Structures are given as structure tokens and as C-alpha cells.
């Protein structure tokens, strides 16, 4: 279609790099193939995070991997910004020199 899109992501491995590398390799593919990417990018991001997690858990069980990852991604669709994250990764937007809070990180003490 004629809509400009851009995708960015950062993963921070915990207990090794396996989960972070896996996520970096597969999340954008799952997102690009998701049926809602055009109509509902936010839902596509959420589902793609979940699918990537399920895929890695299957591999981790099979190969006895013990790492995890936090992650944050940004998907720009036209003039809209969609943010998805898991764990305590954070994103900051600076607009006209001022920080704009986009999210509250997942922390153990947060309900």
C-alpha cells in the first residue's frame, strides 16, 4: 500500500543473549506477517510479541535455553506512533525539548 511504515526495536537479554537475539530476528517478521498490521497496528504488535514469546519458549524448552529478554519496539505508521514493550525496558519521546512519558515500565512492585 502507499502507507509509510518504520519499525525499531531494542532487546536487553537477561541470563544470556539467546532470547534477545531470537526476538530481534523474529518479532519484526511476525509483525510484518500479521493480518492486522494494516487495519490495527497496535493489535498486531501485541499479538506479535506474544507469538514471538511462544515460539522462543518452544525452542528454549527443546534446546534447554535459560535466557530471557526485555524489549521495546516502535512502529510508525503514517503519522502515528505505536509503542509495545515487555519487562522493564523503557522508551522516552522528546518533543520540543521536553520529555514525554509514553509508558510505565513493568516492575515487580507495579500491579
Amino acid at each position: 500500500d502507499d502507507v509509510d511504515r518504520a519499525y525499531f526495536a531494542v532487546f536487553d537479554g537477561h541470563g544470556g543473549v539467546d532470547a534477545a537475539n531470537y526476538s530481534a530476528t523474529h518479532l519484526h517478521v511476525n509483525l510484518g506477517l500479521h493480518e492486522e498490521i494494516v487495519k490495527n497496528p497496535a493489535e498486531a504488535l501485541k499479538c506479535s510479541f506474544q507469538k514471538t514469546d511462544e515460539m522462543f519458549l518452544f525452542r528454549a524448552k527443546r534446546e534447554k535455553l535459560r535466557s530471557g529478554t526485555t524489549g521495546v519496539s516502535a512502529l510508525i505508521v503514517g503519522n502515528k506512533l505505536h509503542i509495545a514493550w515487555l519487562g522493564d525496558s523503557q522508551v522516552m519521546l522528546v518533543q520540543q525539548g521536553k520529555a514525554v512519558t509514553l509508558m510505565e515500565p513493568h516492575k515487580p512492585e507495579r500491579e
Side-chain angles (χ1 to χ4, degrees), residues 66-84:
R66 304 277 303 156
S67 69
T69 189
T70 66
V72 63
S73 67
L75 176 65
I76 302 170
V77 181
N79 64 354
K80 292 190 178 186
L81 173 65
H82 302 272
I83 302 292

Side-chain angles (χ1 to χ4, degrees), residues 73-102:
S73 67
L75 176 65
I76 302 170
V77 181
N79 64 354
K80 292 190 178 186
L81 173 65
H82 302 272
I83 302 292
W85 78 98
L86 60 93
D88 60 356
S89 291
Q90 297 182 49
V91 164
M92 179 181 291
L93 175 69
V94 178
Q95 187 175 38
Q96 296 178 349
K98 297 189 180 179
V100 177
T101 300
L102 297 176

Side-chain angles (χ1 to χ4, degrees), residues 21-62:
N21 287 342
Y22 190 90
S23 298
T25 302
H26 291 88
L27 180 61
H28 70 283
V29 174
N30 290 334
L31 179 61
L33 295 174
H34 196 280
E35 62 188 22
E36 291 294 318
I37 186 68
V38 173
K39 293 181 183 178
N40 192 345
E43 181 67 17
L45 270 170
K46 179 180 176 181
C47 291
S48 297
F49 263 84
Q50 289 173 332
K51 180 175 182 175
T52 305
D53 184 49
E54 291 167 4
M55 290 167 56
F56 179 74
L57 288 173
F58 179 77
R59 179 178 178 190
K61 185 176 182 179
R62 185 181 69 232

